Amino acid sequence: LSESPFIPEIQITDFRLRNKPVSFSTKNTALSQPVFLTDKIVLPYRDNMISFEFAAMDFTAPEKNDYRYRLEGFDADWVQSGNNHVATYTNLDPGTYTFTVLGTNNDGVWNEKGKSLQLIILPPWYMTWWFRTLLVLAVAGILYAVYRYRLQQALKLQAVRNRIASDLHDEIGSNLSSISIFSEVAMEKNDTP
């Protein structure tokens, strides 16, 4: 018997969130069309436990079909899954990922092109760029307010010091004037016996 040169097409056949199948026909779902026609899935940050099911379109001996997959941005290298056709990921951080799966026919001929799907997990509101910008502006505003308050306090303290210095200057000046007058009077009285 000769080996089959047939290169099977690879399809992503099912998408699950928290181990529950996602249907494109229900409202408010992550899929707007069947998963095998979908190129991109956008999920909120709470939906970070996902599963993909996939298949090689070679049904001669499906138990001999082998698979390998990778979630770019999460997996460092390809995951060799043998004939297991399910990939599950949990606790994915917000970001953009690309899920790619490759498969073989029953004789081990690989489809090197495979099937890819982009996965975007949106960040929570407190990790968005606009929230971080608002946070930086708020911190800068608070620091500026503290700086202005301290500057106003320093100016008030300097005004009190200036007033005290002016009062002391005036008082010492008046005392010196009265001492001078008393000295002159004493000198005049000193001339007379």
Side-chain angles (χ1 to χ4, degrees):
L1 296 177
S2 63
E3 289 187 3
S4 172
F6 174 69
I7 297 175
E9 183 180 347
I10 308 299
Q11 290 294 334
I12 297 174
T13 58
D14 193 18
F15 176 68
R16 295 174 175 258
L17 287 173
R18 298 187 200 110
N19 289 329
K20 294 179 184 172
V22 176
S23 172
F24 70 93
S25 60
T26 59
K27 283 187 173 183
N28 299 328
T29 183
L31 297 175
S32 59
Q33 56 189 354
V35 70
F36 61 88
L37 297 175
T38 302
D39 292 328
K40 179 168 74 170
I41 298 175
V42 179
L43 299 172
Y45 71 96
R46 293 180 303 278
D47 294 336
N48 61 2
M49 180 183 174
I50 59 170
S51 296
F52 297 102
E53 287 186 22
F54 37 86
M57 300 292 118
D58 178 29
F59 303 108
T60 306
E63 68 278 357
K64 292 184 178 179
N65 295 347
D66 288 333
Y67 303 95
R68 64 179 169 219
Y69 60 86
R70 176 172 65 181
L71 187 63
E72 290 178 41
F74 185 80
D75 292 326
D77 204 3
W78 290 94
V79 176
Q80 303 290 339
S81 67
N83 66 351
N84 180 17
H85 55 91
V86 177
T88 301
Y89 293 95
T90 60
N91 295 327
L92 292 173
D93 292 330
T96 301
Y97 304 93
T98 301
F99 178 74
T100 306
V101 60
L102 307 176
T104 67
N105 66 5
N106 61 318
D107 286 328
V109 178
W110 284 94
N111 177 338
E112 294 295 335
K113 183 181 175 199
K115 178 73 175 179
S116 294
L117 183 134
Q118 187 179 31
L119 178 68
I120 299 172
I121 298 181
L122 300 174
W125 60 271
Y126 53 86
M127 290 179 70
T128 57
W129 67 268
W130 56 265
F131 177 76
R132 290 182 177 171
T133 302
L134 287 176
L135 188 62
V136 166
L137 290 175
V139 168
I142 290 170
L143 290 175
Y144 181 71
V146 167
Y147 167 75
R148 292 292 297 175
Y149 175 75
R150 297 217 22 174
L151 182 64
Q152 289 296 335
Q153 294 302 317
L155 289 175
K156 284 181 185 177
L157 181 62
Q158 188 62 37
V160 168
R161 285 181 179 164
N162 288 343
R163 187 177 45 83
I164 291 172
S166 175
D167 290 347
L168 283 175
H169 181 267
D170 292 345
E171 189 175 324
I172 290 173
S174 67
N175 285 342
L176 286 175
S177 296
S178 60
I179 290 173
S180 173
I181 293 171
F182 288 141
S183 296
E184 287 178 17
V185 170
M187 292 292 266
E188 287 177 13
K189 286 187 178 180
N190 197 13
D191 290 342
T192 58

